[in-house]
Amino acid sequence: MFMNRRTFAVLAVCLCVSGSAFAGGGGTKKDATITVKNDTAASIGVAVDPTAALLAAATPAAFQAAGGQIVNPGDTATFKVKAGAHRVIAVDAAGAGLGDVNVAVAKGGTKAGIVGAAGLAFP
């Protein structure tokens, strides 16, 4: 009788654990994504929610070390972020600003931007 109760308890726990895997709407992304495509002829730097260290970076290596990404012509930078409002900046190779935009991204959503002749935009 004791062995049957133990087996029953183990089966009950297994069923509860496996059932919880299907409940709760699994499959939705909890994070959001911001992408920025470089549509210029030169490499650019792109960052999301820049820190003071990133804004003060004097070299591409320092820019990358502070969390920015160098994006070659035709390539796209991808940033995984939490849902909400974010500041996105783009700079040229000399550090001159190409754009500074605030964007809001929904949970599990993607916000796609582009850097072109007119600067940084999220159409």
Side-chain angles (χ1 to χ4, degrees):
M1 181 79 174
F2 182 75
M3 186 64 159
N4 288 338
R5 285 185 187 175
R6 181 178 282 169
T7 304
F8 178 77
V10 169
L11 286 174
V13 169
C14 288
L15 285 173
C16 289
V17 171
S18 65
S20 67
F22 296 105
T28 60
K29 297 179 197 175
K30 70 176 190 171
D31 292 334
T33 304
I34 295 175
T35 63
V36 178
K37 181 177 181 189
N38 181 0
D39 200 26
T40 68
S43 294
I44 61 169
V46 178
V48 174
D49 298 328
T51 63
L54 187 135
L55 294 173
T59 65
F63 185 84
Q64 284 181 301
Q69 291 185 26
I70 304 300
V71 188
N72 293 319
D75 289 345
T76 301
T78 302
F79 299 89
K80 296 291 184 188
V81 297
K82 298 290 181 193
H86 297 279
R87 179 181 177 196
V88 181
I89 65 163
V91 296
D92 64 12
L98 297 173
D100 189 340
V101 179
N102 290 315
V103 296
V105 187
K107 181 178 178 181
T110 298
K111 198 70 152 179
I114 190 165
V115 176
L120 174 62
F122 284 84

